[in-house]
Amino acid sequence: MPIRVTVDIVIFTIQSGDLQVLLVRRGIEPYKGRWAIPGGFVLEQESLEQAALRELREETGVTDVYLEQLYSFGDPKRDPRGRTVTVAWFALVDAERALQAGTDAAEARWWSVQHRPPLAFDHASILDYALERLRNKLEYTTVGFQLLPDKFTLGDLQKVYEAILGRALDKRNFRRKIGLLGILKPLDELRSEGGRPARLHRFSARKFEKLKDKGILFPF
Amino acid sequence: MPIRVTVDIVIFTIQSGDLQVLLVRRGIEPYKGRWAIPGGFVLEQESLEQAALRELREETGVTDVYLEQLYSFGDPKRDPRGRTVTVAWFALVDAERALQAGTDAAEARWWSVQHRPPLAFDHASILDYALERLRNKLEYTTVGFQLLPDKFTLGDLQKVYEAILGRALDKRNFRRKIGLLGILKPLDELRSEGGRPARLHRFSARKFEKLKDKGILFPF
DNA sequence: ACAAAAGTGTTCGATATACACCCATGT
DNA sequence: ACATGGGTGTATATCGAACACTTTTGT
């Protein structure tokens, strides 16, 4: 009996200030009816990353997202049907793209990471690990920007950080630190949402690459 | 043709202030005669970590070392004999244990990471990645202590940091920061080595666990 | 006595944190 | 006019970086 290799993808998004994860309901045994992290077998001719991207596209229809390898899980008993090793990934999609994902398949939906259902297999461990990685990465990289659409307000950005870190941040300190990085381009465009209109910004990946090369990272 | 799953282990040590990696010379094709990272197939009934520990023991005779999963590599062309996915790990062994490792098998020896030979397969990428991870981890964890024997001097410890980071550190700043952590127990024992004798210290893992729980990490 | 490594404090700049009020719009 | 979210500066504490001399041993 050979070992079968799969990929599983923990897909996060932010919906109205709440960190959510995409889960699919299993239609077959084992764990029939339980919710699970989307994934599937690695095909003969594709790399692990290609497999993850393919599953992501098949399950959610989304493409062109942030994707990072997380960890590989291979406990001999993790799948009762037989020996599997899964290479887990985590992906970040912005709120706009997230909408199409949840509606595509009837048996896929977004769950708040706070109020998630019991999961199949060892998927609870995988999700916990992904969450931990996301929190850590938030502090020294710009992954947070991946959860926002092209144009966003500084309030939007702060909400992303607060949702992931699970605590409130000071508005003035937050803006100063973001400003210091100089990786946001303020646009000549405002968005009104129940109060004073907020300026929209765009993430400038080009400026960020320069910072990375110099070893300057995120100071949260 | 199923995918075959292997583990490869990048084993680091420090010998007289130089960061070294254990490599084995391949006796068969492909890449016969080339140096490679030690590794082998994952067996039917063992977890990935057990497989890594087993290979580590078989190749080096060492046990009870620091071992951490690194990344999984699965390019379809990475092994010309057929499709493989390897789960790469990195291990740290102290100088005393390292001695027995290099001598066990005639075709295994330590190489300075600076002057390493060309490697088989995609092992150069794996080694580079391990080195990057080690450097990063050094800055916010206590992995550095894993490269030292039970008793060591502060000079020994500083040399470990300098060898891995590849730059000189200020002795006073280094000692202050280590001292602030309060995870070293000074012993009533000195070691003389060509100058004023140095006090030996021991790493107190118990104290460190408390720090970790509070989220206090290494400030290098 | 001298060579060789151990040991020890202070100053300064940068960064993180705490904290409160006015502004522009919609209703 | 009032409710709602947007926008702005200063003071303090903490942390990291730079920097030089004395001490203890072996030869």
Side-chain angles (χ1 to χ4, degrees), chain B residues 42-99:
Chain B
V42 175
L43 301 183
E44 188 70 27
Q45 297 299 334
E46 67 188 356
S47 69
L48 298 172
E49 185 174 14
Q50 285 164 351
L53 286 169
R54 179 180 49 75
E55 288 291 340
L56 194 54
R57 196 178 54 244
E58 288 176 8
E59 305 266 7
T60 71
V62 300
T63 173
D64 187 31
V65 299
Y66 180 83
L67 181 69
E68 170 181 326
Q69 191 183 309
L70 190 61
Y71 200 80
S72 294
F73 297 81
D75 188 281
K77 297 203 175 65
R78 64 179 298 276
D79 187 330
R81 290 167 297 182
R83 183 71 197 269
T84 59
V85 164
T86 195
V87 181
W89 298 72
F90 86 85
L92 302 178
V93 310
D94 67 64
E96 286 176 6
R97 271 191 274 235
L99 287 173

Side-chain angles (χ1 to χ4, degrees), chain B:
Chain B
M1 275 295 268
I3 298 176
R4 286 174 301 169
V5 181
T6 61
V7 286
D8 287 310
I9 308 125
V10 181
I11 310 166
F12 290 113
T13 196
I14 300 267
Q15 292 282 26
S16 52
D18 185 41
L19 182 63
Q20 306 195 327
V21 60
L22 188 73
L23 300 176
V24 295
R25 194 205 287 269
R26 288 184 57 77
I28 57 168
E29 292 293 348
Y31 297 103
K32 184 171 177 178
R34 281 286 261 290
W35 293 87
I37 296 166
F41 291 104
V42 175
L43 301 183
E44 188 70 27
Q45 297 299 334
E46 67 188 356
S47 69
L48 298 172
E49 185 174 14
Q50 285 164 351
L53 286 169
R54 179 180 49 75
E55 288 291 340
L56 194 54
R57 196 178 54 244
E58 288 176 8
E59 305 266 7
T60 71
V62 300
T63 173
D64 187 31
V65 299
Y66 180 83
L67 181 69
E68 170 181 326
Q69 191 183 309
L70 190 61
Y71 200 80
S72 294
F73 297 81
D75 188 281
K77 297 203 175 65
R78 64 179 298 276
D79 187 330
R81 290 167 297 182
R83 183 71 197 269
T84 59
V85 164
T86 195
V87 181
W89 298 72
F90 86 85
L92 302 178
V93 310
D94 67 64
E96 286 176 6
R97 271 191 274 235
L99 287 173
Q100 80 190 73
T103 50
D104 252 30
E107 294 298 41
R109 57 160 282 202
W110 295 101
W111 289 82
S112 167
V113 295
Q114 318 288 349
H115 312 106
R116 61 176 129 128
L119 298 183
F121 306 108
D122 53 0
H123 288 189
S125 312
I126 298 177
L127 178 49
D128 287 344
Y129 192 79
L131 196 52
E132 190 189 333
R133 173 81 68 93
L134 176 59
R135 288 203 174 113
N136 288 334
K137 278 239 152 176
L138 197 66
E139 300 191 0
Y140 61 93
T141 70
T142 55
V143 285
F145 293 90
Q146 305 295 333
L147 288 161
L148 289 171
D150 186 48
K151 300 171 181 179
F152 52 87
T153 69
L154 297 178
D156 293 339
L157 183 60
Q158 186 172 343
K159 283 203 198 84
V160 167
Y161 275 80
E162 290 178 332
I164 296 173
L165 296 176
R167 66 168 199 269
L169 299 174
D170 181 88
K171 185 166 46 160
R172 283 165 294 184
N173 292 339
F174 182 82
R175 287 172 185 227
R176 174 155 11 92
K177 282 186 258 186
I178 296 284
L180 244 34
L181 291 173
I183 53 178
L184 288 190
K185 195 189 301 176
L187 306 175
D188 290 332
E189 207 174 336
L190 302 177
R191 183 205 293 158
S192 199
E193 199 177 355
R196 173 175 172 177
R199 180 168 302 279
L200 290 172
H201 295 255
R202 197 194 302 272
F203 175 60
S204 167
R206 184 172 302 171
K207 288 185 188 168
F208 175 60
E209 288 306 319
K210 285 188 198 159
L211 287 180
K212 251 198 334 193
D213 293 345
K214 290 186 203 155
I216 302 170
L217 289 171
F218 246 55
F220 286 96

Side-chain angles (χ1 to χ4, degrees), chain A:
Chain A
M1 273 295 269
I3 299 175
R4 286 174 301 171
V5 181
T6 62
V7 286
D8 287 310
I9 307 126
V10 181
I11 310 166
F12 290 114
T13 195
I14 301 269
Q15 293 282 25
S16 50
D18 184 42
L19 182 64
Q20 307 196 326
V21 61
L22 188 72
L23 299 176
V24 295
R25 194 205 287 270
R26 288 183 57 78
I28 57 168
E29 293 292 349
Y31 297 103
K32 184 172 177 178
R34 281 289 260 291
W35 294 86
I37 295 166
F41 291 104
V42 175
L43 302 183
E44 187 69 26
Q45 295 300 335
E46 68 189 356
S47 70
L48 298 172
E49 185 174 14
Q50 285 163 352
L53 286 168
R54 178 179 52 73
E55 288 291 341
L56 194 55
R57 195 177 54 245
E58 288 176 8
E59 304 266 8
T60 70
V62 299
T63 173
D64 187 31
V65 299
Y66 179 83
L67 182 69
E68 170 180 325
Q69 190 183 308
L70 190 61
Y71 200 80
S72 296
F73 297 81
D75 188 280
K77 298 203 174 66
R78 63 180 298 276
D79 187 330
R81 290 168 295 182
R83 183 70 198 270
T84 60
V85 164
T86 194
V87 182
W89 297 72
F90 86 86
L92 303 177
V93 310
D94 66 65
E96 287 177 5
R97 274 192 272 234
L99 287 173
Q100 80 191 71
T103 51
D104 252 29
E107 294 297 41
R109 57 161 282 204
W110 294 102
W111 289 81
S112 167
V113 294
Q114 317 289 349
H115 312 105
R116 61 176 129 130
L119 299 183
F121 305 106
D122 53 359
H123 287 190
S125 312
I126 297 177
L127 178 49
D128 287 344
Y129 193 79
L131 197 53
E132 191 189 332
R133 173 82 67 94
L134 176 59
R135 288 204 174 111
N136 288 333
K137 278 239 151 178
L138 196 66
E139 300 191 0
Y140 62 94
T141 69
T142 56
V143 286
F145 293 91
Q146 305 295 332
L147 288 161
L148 289 170
D150 185 48
K151 301 170 180 181
F152 53 86
T153 69
L154 297 177
D156 293 338
L157 183 61
Q158 187 173 342
K159 283 203 197 84
V160 167
Y161 275 79
E162 290 178 332
I164 297 173
L165 296 176
R167 67 168 199 268
L169 299 174
D170 182 88
K171 186 166 42 162
R172 284 165 293 184
N173 293 339
F174 182 81
R175 289 173 185 227
R176 173 154 10 94
K177 281 185 257 186
I178 295 285
L180 244 34
L181 291 174
I183 54 179
L184 288 189
K185 194 189 300 177
L187 305 175
D188 291 333
E189 207 174 336
L190 302 177
R191 182 206 292 157
S192 199
E193 198 178 355
R196 172 175 172 177
R199 181 167 302 277
L200 290 172
H201 295 255
R202 195 195 301 274
F203 176 60
S204 167
R206 184 171 304 171
K207 287 184 190 171
F208 175 59
E209 288 305 320
K210 285 186 198 161
L211 286 180
K212 251 198 332 193
D213 293 345
K214 290 185 205 158
I216 302 170
L217 289 171
F218 245 53
F220 285 97

